[in-house]
Amino acid sequence: MTEAYYLWPDILRDVYSGISKGIGHSTWYVENLIKLGWKVIISSSEIEVEHLDNGTTKSISFNKTKMKKQLDSLKVAGVGYSRTGTYSLALALNELDFPTIHTMHLFEKGEIFDHLVNSIFYESIKEDKIIMGVPDFDLLLRAGYTATMDLPFALYYNQILEQYPDCKFILTLREDSNVWFRSWNSLAETEGGTLFSKLQRYIGVFITHVKKIGYYKKWLYAVINEDRKFLSHEFPLPAQNRERAISSYEKHNQRIRDSIPPSQLLEYNVKEGWEPLCTFLEIPEAECPSSHGIPFPKTNSTNEVRWHAYSATIAPIFFAMFILNLVRKIMKKEGHKKMD
């Protein structure tokens, strides 16, 4: 009874955090439309005026893109597979002043995600073969990121090393391959289950962004399972192949060890906390969060991911139903006006 009592705070935290993230992803669609309209308004005030030598105006143009200072290189690359503590590590890197892009929020980064969809994910589906391609990492730098975490970027360690030779790499690991697969399979079952796959499939009719996420899931599962059948399969997707997925996980980790110089590679379990991370990234002990009693981030447990997937899938359904109902009422009202 006592042990169960102490588990409740963790369970409630997972439910609350998962639902918050899921609804956050859903409300992003609405917020993005508002922001898009706001940017159009703002852009009209960013005017470039070109003058002639005599001081008269030659031309007026609108600068629609507010330029950011271009960062010079990626500093940290997380090269571990999903479900190895990558989101907790991403939060930790942000805390250490390494702005990090993680798959959790990749879908919200329009230019970056669209680039991956168009050049890699959808291209693979169209050609019915696994195409790896090469992401444009300069897009990440222009967006202000100096670190990457989780898939798909974890697969491009050789390209990152070649393009940014001083980059440091962190290979996140679970206790063993079976522990990793249980967590990965739980995620895949949640995202690829019959109910939620069908909901995602139907949402995609109204929200093309959701359809793009579907392209990514098909490509990702094809890569992890080393099986292109996922590319052409309709939702719900096939079950994960345990042997192939574990083989993929283990081969990836070994290729990392064989490719990255030892001085630039940290093999890391997030349960180790701040100390090895701060040491590897050359953060002075006095500036390491552990010295200030800041706990290491703990998030994205299996239960939290489930609640995240549930809320992220169901919330857009209600939003789509609300929009359709609103359109129906407007059309009905207009129809009555014409009859009058």
Side-chain angles (χ1 to χ4, degrees), residues 102-243:
H102 184 279
T103 306
M104 184 78 73
H105 301 290
L106 172 63
F107 314 125
E108 301 167 9
K109 310 303 175 183
E111 186 180 8
I112 298 171
F113 187 50
D114 284 348
H115 159 67
L116 294 171
V117 169
N118 295 331
S119 63
I120 299 175
F121 309 150
Y122 181 67
E123 195 67 22
S124 295
I125 293 170
K126 187 172 67 174
E127 298 292 333
D128 195 28
K129 64 179 180 180
I130 299 173
I131 296 173
M132 297 305 296
V134 180
D136 183 356
F137 293 105
D138 284 342
L139 286 177
L140 309 187
L141 298 177
R142 287 200 293 271
Y145 296 107
T146 60
T148 67
M149 191 60 56
D150 207 276
L151 301 165
F153 299 116
L155 301 169
Y156 298 94
Y157 50 90
N158 280 323
Q159 291 87 340
I160 294 175
L161 180 62
E162 181 178 353
Q163 194 167 344
Y164 310 107
D166 295 326
C167 183
K168 294 195 172 186
F169 297 80
I170 302 176
L171 176 59
T172 44
L173 300 166
R174 297 298 293 263
E175 291 75 6
D176 59 53
S177 300
N178 290 316
V179 171
W180 168 78
F181 181 77
R182 283 197 296 272
S183 183
W184 165 257
N185 191 51
S186 178
L187 171 66
E189 287 179 344
T190 301
E191 293 182 338
T194 302
L195 172 62
F196 299 104
S197 290
K198 285 185 177 179
L199 288 176
Q200 184 186 56
R201 182 179 176 185
Y202 297 141
I203 293 171
V205 175
F206 306 103
I207 307 176
T208 57
H209 197 78
V210 175
K211 186 177 290 186
K212 293 175 183 178
I213 295 175
Y215 296 153
Y216 170 59
K217 293 301 180 185
K218 289 183 177 185
W219 177 86
L220 179 64
Y221 292 170
V223 170
I224 298 298
N225 291 273
E226 301 176 330
D227 189 347
R228 67 184 179 88
K229 74 179 179 185
F230 288 88
L231 297 173
S232 57
H233 204 287
E234 294 295 334
F235 285 99
L237 298 177
Q240 300 295 295
N241 184 304
R242 179 186 180 87
E243 290 72 25

Side-chain angles (χ1 to χ4, degrees), residues 301-320:
S301 68
T302 299
N303 286 329
E304 183 179 329
V305 168
R306 285 199 185 104
W307 282 101
H308 176 195
Y310 298 159
S311 55
T313 305
I314 293 172
I317 284 288
F318 286 107
F319 175 66

